[in-house]
Amino acid sequence: MVLGSNYITHKMWNDGTGIQTDIIGATSNELYLTEKAGMYIEDTRGFTRRVEEIAGMLDVPAEWLMTVMYAESRFDAGVANFKGSGAVGLIQFMPATASDMGVSVDRLKHMTPIQQMEYVFIYLQRNRERYGEYDSLTDLYLSILYPKARKQDYCYTLYAKPSRAYTQNSGLDADKDGRVNVSDIDKHLKKLHPTAYMIEKYAE
């Protein structure tokens, strides 16, 4: 079971004043990345409340869930993949994935962010049941990006030149060696989201 992730952050970064701070020292009374979510979501309180509920159901810190959605869509529930993959939504649902959940990408695109969170849960829960519990931010992100890479070692390759998939994801190739592997994904998340990256699952 995941303890309250805001509590964990507080314990890690409390500066002695009783005010929660993040890794760079900015005060925060909101869930990680809530300010970014506000660019596309009007009801951020309702949205983050639902994120926290679903994170609890998935047994992951809510910060992890916020991070992977931000990485995929910047919280724009109606956004389509700009590279033409056909993916849409908070975690960039592919048409085949949407169909497997009994919904279309067009229908997903017209849902509110809170409504679409139900499908985020369905997708992530199915991958949890198939591949096991999520044990890190990287593991959760791999469930969206390339589920078969979950639980693999850092050298496992997701995409390689000259494939179209590599071209679409070349920005994740941290060492520019023509391959995107698990290590690249881990480095990418650690660099861009150190606060969420450092939060761990704590069992009672």
Side-chain angles (χ1 to χ4, degrees):
M1 178 180 177
V2 177
L3 298 180
S5 52
N6 284 331
Y7 169 78
I8 295 168
T9 306
H10 174 82
K11 294 295 287 183
M12 291 173 63
W13 307 113
N14 191 309
D15 62 3
T17 65
I19 299 174
Q20 180 180 313
T21 60
D22 65 18
I23 195 168
I24 59 173
T27 60
S28 173
N29 293 313
E30 297 180 323
L31 182 60
Y32 182 64
L33 295 174
T34 296
E35 183 178 346
K36 300 289 187 181
M39 296 180 64
Y40 292 102
I41 300 171
E42 184 174 348
D43 182 12
T44 55
R45 180 173 296 182
F47 178 72
T48 55
R49 185 183 302 120
R50 189 60 183 143
V51 169
E52 289 174 330
E53 291 170 353
I54 288 176
M57 293 161 64
L58 292 168
D59 197 23
V60 298
E63 289 86 349
W64 290 4
L65 192 50
M66 290 288 281
T67 297
V68 298
M69 290 189 291
Y70 178 75
E72 288 296 286
S73 67
R74 299 299 190 265
F75 300 112
D76 183 353
V79 71
N81 182 275
F82 74 93
K83 293 186 178 179
S85 72
V88 302
L90 292 171
I91 59 171
Q92 291 291 278
F93 298 98
M94 292 292 288
T97 302
S99 179
D100 188 51
M101 295 190 297
V103 68
S104 67
V105 289
D106 186 64
R107 184 177 163 201
L108 284 167
K109 186 168 59 175
H110 290 92
M111 289 180 182
T112 67
I114 294 175
Q115 290 171 334
Q116 202 178 105
M117 283 302 302
E118 303 307 313
Y119 291 92
V120 171
F121 170 73
I122 291 170
Y123 175 82
L124 292 174
Q125 178 62 16
R126 286 183 177 181
N127 275 286
R128 180 188 182 196
E129 292 169 355
R130 181 172 183 181
Y131 296 101
E133 297 294 323
Y134 298 112
D135 55 25
S136 67
L137 173 60
T138 300
D139 189 29
L140 184 64
Y141 189 49
L142 286 172
S143 185
I144 295 168
L145 190 65
Y146 200 98
K148 291 180 180 179
R150 291 192 59 205
K151 314 305 182 186
Q152 302 293 336
D153 64 38
Y154 273 21
C155 294
Y156 183 89
T157 298
L158 287 69
Y159 315 112
K161 283 184 175 180
S163 69
R164 181 184 179 193
Y166 175 83
T167 301
Q168 292 176 330
N169 294 279
S170 59
L172 297 172
D173 185 0
D175 53 12
K176 306 303 178 186
D177 65 350
R179 297 182 301 120
V180 175
N181 55 30
V182 173
S183 178
D184 289 322
I185 304 302
D186 190 72
K187 290 175 183 176
H188 178 78
L189 292 169
K190 185 176 183 179
K191 179 180 179 180
L192 295 183
H193 300 282
T195 303
Y197 184 91
M198 293 185 70
I199 295 173
E200 299 178 353
K201 290 177 66 170
Y202 284 78
E204 288 186 325

